[in-house]
Amino acid sequence: MTERLGLRERKKRQTRSLISDVASGLFMQRGFDNVTVAEVAEAAGVSTKTVFNYFPRKEDLFLDRFPEAVELVTRAVRERAEGETPLAALRRLFLGMLREGHPLGGIAPGYQVFWQVILDSPALRARARELVEEFEGVLAGLFAEAAGTGRAEPAPRLAAALVVAAYRAVYITSIDRIRAGDPMQDVLADRIALLDRALEAVERAVAAF
């Protein structure tokens, strides 16, 4: 039974990845607003219903890595080393992702097209803002859990807001530089250093709160 469930889960993940990859290719070729879910389904060889089973919203076909981001930060906080703070665990995770070239790091050849698709679509920009808010809520919950307090307490919410603000500011700075033509390797090195300093500042601010 366990083996069957494992195979079923792998197949589900493969189908989800196929649909998202096909959709992303179409969106980058033609623009998000110019492609329908029905066209994505046909190109992926599945039904429209199947697409919506995996992605309740069209925008999530393109912004499909949000569940992975939530999984990564949740694991980093809950499985952190003894004596390591949640903020230190996240700092280690984020910097490690950049150094390893993880897709969620947001710096790799071809990402200019990805960003342009988002910038060209009001629907995608709105969904991205929603996901940032959802992510902040996830972090607040994790910080509250680690501290043994309620989510509504000010400290976890402040910590989550500061982490998101710091990460977003550094991320956008990197995007602007790459779109302006700066060498990607230079931008990556600077981003690692800047994010390290920004998150260190967040740790100090939260500790002083």
Side-chain angles (χ1 to χ4, degrees):
M1 175 65 73
T2 301
E3 291 181 359
R4 288 203 300 271
L5 288 175
L7 177 60
R8 186 180 307 158
E9 181 61 28
R10 287 197 299 272
K11 287 184 175 179
K12 287 175 62 177
R13 293 190 179 193
Q14 289 171 355
T15 300
R16 186 182 189 279
S17 179
L18 169 65
I19 294 170
S20 176
D21 289 347
V22 169
S24 295
L26 291 173
F27 296 150
M28 287 190 282
Q29 289 172 10
R30 296 164 47 192
F32 179 81
D33 298 325
N34 298 322
V35 178
T36 66
V37 173
E39 289 174 317
V40 171
E42 182 178 0
V46 299
S47 67
T48 301
K49 180 181 178 181
T50 297
V51 173
F52 281 118
N53 284 341
Y54 286 94
F55 302 94
R57 297 175 59 165
K58 178 186 172 185
E59 293 80 8
D60 295 338
L61 283 162
F62 198 62
L63 303 171
D64 65 307
R65 288 189 175 271
F66 180 72
E68 181 183 357
V70 170
E71 181 180 346
L72 286 172
V73 300
T74 300
R75 187 183 306 128
V77 172
R78 289 180 176 169
E79 298 178 7
R80 67 191 185 279
E82 184 176 355
E84 186 178 37
T85 67
L87 284 170
L90 289 179
R91 183 179 171 194
R92 175 170 50 81
L93 170 68
F94 294 154
L95 295 176
M97 289 168 62
L98 284 172
R99 293 185 178 113
E100 295 164 9
H102 192 286
L104 282 169
I107 293 185
Y111 267 60
Q112 298 94 319
V113 179
F114 175 84
W115 299 323
Q116 194 61 52
V117 172
I118 296 175
L119 291 172
D120 290 341
S121 171
L124 278 176
R125 294 201 306 273
R127 182 56 177 153
R129 287 192 293 270
E130 290 177 355
L131 290 177
V132 169
E133 291 179 3
E134 290 180 32
F135 191 71
E136 184 176 319
V138 169
L139 290 180
L142 288 169
F143 293 154
E145 176 186 291
T149 63
R151 181 191 294 261
E153 292 295 319
R157 296 176 69 176
L158 173 65
L162 289 175
V163 169
V164 169
Y167 192 93
R168 182 177 181 274
V170 174
Y171 188 94
I172 291 176
T173 298
S174 300
I175 293 175
D176 289 343
R177 286 186 58 189
I178 290 175
R179 295 183 73 218
D182 287 2
M184 191 166 296
Q185 287 305 313
D186 292 347
V187 175
L188 176 58
D190 290 345
R191 181 175 172 186
I192 290 172
L194 181 57
L195 184 60
D196 191 21
R197 294 199 304 272
L199 293 178
E200 183 181 12
V202 169
E203 289 185 64
R204 292 198 303 268
V206 171
F209 180 69

